[in-house]
Amino acid sequence: MPDAHADGLFVAEATMPFVQYLNWVFLRGGFPFLTGSSDALQITDALAEDLLPL
């Protein structure tokens, strides 16, 4: 790993620690960004309903 931290840095759409990125994605049902569909928020909320943070 390029640094001494246990949690690597995720750099793509956003820059944040990798575990924090995973929690962010899971909070949105596996889709970190809305697609523009009017039902997207309801769908991602339903997908994320029972997911627990890491």
Side-chain angles (χ1 to χ4, degrees):
M1 294 189 67
D3 62 36
H5 294 97
D7 188 12
L9 192 61
F10 178 81
V11 179
E13 300 94 359
T15 301
M16 61 182 69
F18 184 64
V19 173
Q20 181 181 349
Y21 174 76
L22 289 177
N23 284 323
W24 179 56
V25 171
F26 293 158
L27 181 66
R28 289 160 180 79
F31 301 94
F33 299 101
L34 295 177
T35 62
S37 167
S38 60
D39 298 326
L41 188 56
Q42 288 180 338
I43 292 168
T44 57
D45 284 348
L47 290 170
E49 188 173 323
D50 294 325
L51 296 177
L52 300 173
L54 298 176

